[in-house]
Amino acid sequence: MKAFPWKCANCRERTANNVVLPSYTAELEHDGRKYQVTLADLEVVRCEHCGAIVLDDHAEERLIDALRSQAGLLNPSEIRAKREYLSLTQKVLANLLGIADSTISRWETGAQIQQRSMDRFLRCFFELPDVRRFLGAPMTTWTMVPVRSVAVFTLPEMGFVPVEGRGSWG
């Protein structure tokens, strides 16, 4: 990386320096919706002459991570961890979901953000053994996700009582 100050791409002056912004807000669009994302202590290159800001790869990654979080999407490491927990390769998962294995790879590396609908589909696939079974996943994946504890009620506690002489519940 060349030494600062850099020549600004906007005003062409050699006044662009590395700075840390205490707060940076951007409006980002994903899947047809706009999200206002604010980051604290964001390192950027800013021109002292015209005020133009340049975001490097690290700053872009932080913004995208914040966008995923604000949109409520699975992050790349969650997708990979859940896939690996089910002992599935990217290729097998992609085939089960009906998408390209390169798409799974891009989601897991963070190179692409999944659409909200695909995020919901992934969550269903990862959390619900019946969905995996329906889509033809290997049998070993049907029961691997821990079952959440649920309250168990007997029929009388739920207001159902046996109807005398009928052999059924009323």
Side-chain angles (χ1 to χ4, degrees), residues 83 88-105 108:
R83 175 185 57 79
L88 297 172
T89 64
Q90 289 180 346
K91 187 174 188 85
V92 170
L93 177 59
N95 286 337
L96 291 168
L97 300 178
I99 59 176
D101 52 331
S102 58
T103 301
I104 298 288
S105 176
E108 289 185 1

Side-chain angles (χ1 to χ4, degrees), residues 86 88 92-93 96 125 129 131-142:
L86 294 172
L88 297 172
V92 170
L93 177 59
L96 291 168
F125 182 87
V131 171
R132 294 193 295 277
R133 180 180 15 236
F134 178 78
L135 293 174
M139 188 180 293
T140 57
T141 69
W142 293 0

Side-chain angles (χ1 to χ4, degrees), residues 3-170:
F4 289 102
W6 293 353
K7 184 183 271 188
C8 175
N10 189 46
C11 69
R12 310 302 294 164
E13 295 292 323
R14 188 167 294 281
T15 56
N17 287 297
N18 199 22
V19 298
V20 176
L21 300 177
S23 180
Y24 179 82
T25 300
E27 186 174 84
L28 304 176
E29 186 175 328
H30 174 67
D31 208 10
R33 292 186 184 175
K34 292 183 181 181
Y35 298 88
Q36 188 140 355
V37 176
T38 301
L39 295 175
D41 302 322
L42 185 66
E43 192 172 319
V44 299
V45 175
R46 181 176 61 195
C47 177
E48 295 171 11
H49 182 258
C50 71
I53 292 176
V54 176
L55 303 176
D56 65 7
D57 289 344
H58 180 68
E60 289 280 346
E61 285 175 20
R62 285 192 58 200
L63 278 172
I64 297 302
D65 288 345
L67 171 63
R68 273 192 192 92
S69 177
Q70 190 163 353
L73 301 172
L74 292 168
N75 67 46
S77 61
E78 289 175 309
I79 296 170
R80 181 180 182 137
K82 289 174 183 290
R83 175 185 57 79
E84 289 176 347
Y85 180 78
L86 294 172
S87 301
L88 297 172
T89 64
Q90 289 180 346
K91 187 174 188 85
V92 170
L93 177 59
N95 286 337
L96 291 168
L97 300 178
I99 59 176
D101 52 331
S102 58
T103 301
I104 298 288
S105 176
R106 287 191 301 269
W107 290 346
E108 289 185 1
T109 61
Q112 180 180 354
I113 302 175
Q114 68 275 17
Q115 293 178 313
R116 284 188 318 274
S117 59
M118 287 306 297
D119 189 80
R120 287 181 172 188
F121 189 30
L122 282 170
R123 288 174 189 272
C124 288
F125 182 87
F126 291 141
E127 296 295 325
L128 303 171
D130 287 340
V131 171
R132 294 193 295 277
R133 180 180 15 236
F134 178 78
L135 293 174
M139 188 180 293
T140 57
T141 69
W142 293 0
T143 58
M144 290 182 71
V145 175
V147 177
R148 295 185 184 104
S149 61
V150 295
V152 177
F153 297 98
T154 62
L155 291 175
E157 287 174 328
M158 293 175 55
F160 294 101
V161 294
V163 176
E164 295 297 323
R166 290 186 169 183
S168 62
W169 296 85

